[in-house]
């Protein structure tokens, strides 16, 4: 229950190739991009990634780090389909388990509750069952006899999420409009690492917002990283919105060119590169 603060590099040092890694956020919203960039700077790969995907998936796929992706979608929100993910998928660069959002939620809930699966109606009557031959159905043991999807638990070796505030013990607070599935990612994982815009004293967490905003409980969190602008270029409302101009540039730029410019030695190098990019555009 002591101080759980660490650096992004220390988080990555606890990860390994071949892991199943959950990444929180949603599309191009509140993604733990500082941790994803640290992961990209490492040699870790052959990952099974579980994510409501955005640029986290796009970057890892473009870099060849993903073996299998479990997702309901991969989008940049204002750009409907993440282009670097699309390119990786078109060249056969990864395996895909594509499921309904309700199934995704149930899979995380099953893992969080340490259950092998949860029954869910989502997926019945859709092509999800056709493209996912590994999925099974179960019959209700009660009088209704309903056929349901047996959504397998999405058990994670590790999870990465980003929130607005956290304390040193691992309690995490979101201040935006949506918790996404970040709490379930942490509870479904053997180890959960949380980046945040700012680390504050525990008493400060409830001064700006009520107790319901305390999304992450310290018992489910392994490490905390203070990472200002750590979700850039995705949004982290109310701290900042999505950097639409930068996102458009990312989407239109070949991956080797983007990686060569923005995946420097550390996060300070990334911020410096973004600053130079803005100056070039008169921002």
């Amino acid at each position: 229950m002591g101080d759980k603060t660490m650096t992004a590099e220390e988080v990555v040092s606890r990860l390994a190739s071949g892991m199943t890694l959950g990444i929180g956020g949603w599309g191009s919203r509140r993604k733990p991009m500082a941790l994803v960039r640290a992961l990209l700077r490492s040699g870790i790969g052959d990952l099974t990634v579980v994510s409501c995907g955005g640029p986290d998936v796009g970057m890892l796929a473009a870099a060849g780090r993903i073996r299998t992706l479990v997702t309901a979608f991969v989008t940049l929100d204002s750009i409907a389909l993440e282009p670097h993910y699309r390119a990786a998928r078109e060249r056969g660069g990864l395996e895909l388990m594509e499921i309904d959002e309700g199934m995704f939620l149930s899979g995380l809930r099953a893992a969080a509750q340490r259950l092998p699966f949860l029954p869910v109606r989502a997926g019945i009557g859709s092509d999800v069952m056709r493209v996912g031959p590994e999925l099974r159905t179960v019959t209700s043991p009660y009088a209704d006899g309903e056929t349901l999807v047996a959504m397998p638990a999405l058990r994670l070796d590790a999870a990465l999420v980003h929130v607005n505030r956290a304390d040193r013990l691992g309690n995490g607070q979101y201040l935006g409009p949506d918790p996404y599935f970040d709490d379930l990612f942490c509870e479904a994982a053997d180890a959960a690492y949380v980046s945040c815009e700012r680390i504050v004293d525990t008493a400060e967490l409830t001064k700006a917002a009520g107790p319901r905003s305390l999304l992450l409980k310290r018992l489910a969190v392994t490490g905390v990283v203070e990472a200002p602008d750590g979700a850039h270029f995705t949004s982290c409302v109310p701290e900042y919105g999505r950097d639409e101009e930068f996102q458009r540039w990312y989407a239109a730029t070949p991956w080797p060119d983007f990686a060569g410019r923005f995946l420097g030695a550390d996060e300070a190098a990334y911020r410096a590169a973004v600053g130079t990019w803005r100056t070039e555009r008169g921002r």
Side-chain angles (χ1 to χ4, degrees):
M1 294 298 180
D3 191 328
K4 297 179 181 178
T5 55
M6 57 180 64
T7 66
E9 290 70 27
E10 287 172 328
V11 169
V12 171
S13 74
R14 298 182 175 211
L15 306 180
S17 294
M19 279 186 165
T20 297
L21 180 65
I23 304 177
W26 184 277
S28 194
R29 292 173 249 181
R30 214 175 69 226
K31 285 290 180 176
M33 296 306 295
L35 299 182
V36 171
R37 288 187 286 268
L39 180 59
L40 284 163
R41 289 190 289 267
S42 77
I44 294 171
D46 195 35
L47 296 168
T48 295
V49 172
V50 179
S51 175
C52 292
D56 55 325
V57 169
M59 291 183 180
L60 290 169
R65 307 299 182 88
I66 301 177
R67 180 183 74 248
T68 302
L69 174 65
V70 181
T71 191
F73 53 79
V74 184
T75 181
L76 297 177
D77 292 318
S78 58
I79 299 172
L81 183 60
E82 216 286 356
H84 295 292
Y85 159 74
R86 178 178 60 191
R89 181 71 177 141
E90 287 176 347
R91 67 173 179 265
L94 52 85
E95 298 175 4
L96 178 64
M97 180 181 182
E98 188 173 15
I99 52 178
D100 174 273
E101 290 174 27
M103 299 169 73
F104 192 97
L105 172 62
S106 293
L108 289 176
R109 281 178 171 164
Q113 296 176 40
R114 303 303 188 263
L115 296 172
F117 71 93
L118 277 176
V120 59
R121 288 193 179 95
I124 292 292
S126 76
D127 279 346
V128 169
M129 302 301 290
R130 179 182 61 81
V131 300
E134 70 279 9
L135 295 168
R136 300 289 184 266
T137 59
V138 292
T139 301
S140 168
Y142 298 103
D144 59 277
E146 185 177 359
T147 298
L148 301 164
V149 174
M151 179 60 206
L154 296 177
R155 187 73 189 153
L156 310 172
D157 294 311
L160 309 177
V161 305
H162 186 79
V163 294
N164 300 86
R165 302 281 186 271
D167 66 13
R168 295 176 180 276
L169 302 177
N171 298 297
Q173 180 180 52
Y174 80 106
L175 298 175
D178 199 322
Y180 309 122
F181 297 157
D182 288 0
D183 52 339
L184 290 177
F185 273 106
C186 292
E187 292 167 14
D190 292 338
Y193 301 99
V194 179
S195 60
C196 64
E197 294 296 312
R198 187 159 62 94
I199 291 176
V200 299
D201 291 337
T202 304
E204 291 292 318
L205 290 173
T206 53
K207 286 186 177 180
R212 283 182 174 271
S213 65
L214 298 180
L215 180 64
L216 309 180
K217 310 302 186 291
R218 65 180 186 271
L219 291 176
V221 172
T222 307
V224 180
V225 178
E226 187 172 62
D229 295 325
H232 183 268
F233 52 94
T234 73
S235 63
C236 185
V237 177
E239 314 287 337
Y240 46 86
R242 185 164 52 245
D243 189 337
E244 294 285 3
E245 185 180 359
F246 189 90
Q247 176 169 275
R248 287 194 298 272
W249 192 87
Y250 158 78
T253 302
W255 171 249
D257 295 342
F258 182 88
R261 181 166 185 178
F262 291 103
L263 293 183
D266 53 25
E267 197 64 7
Y270 172 78
R271 289 195 295 271
V274 172
T276 300
W277 178 88
R278 286 174 174 160
T279 299
E280 291 172 355
R281 282 154 182 77
R283 292 178 62 192

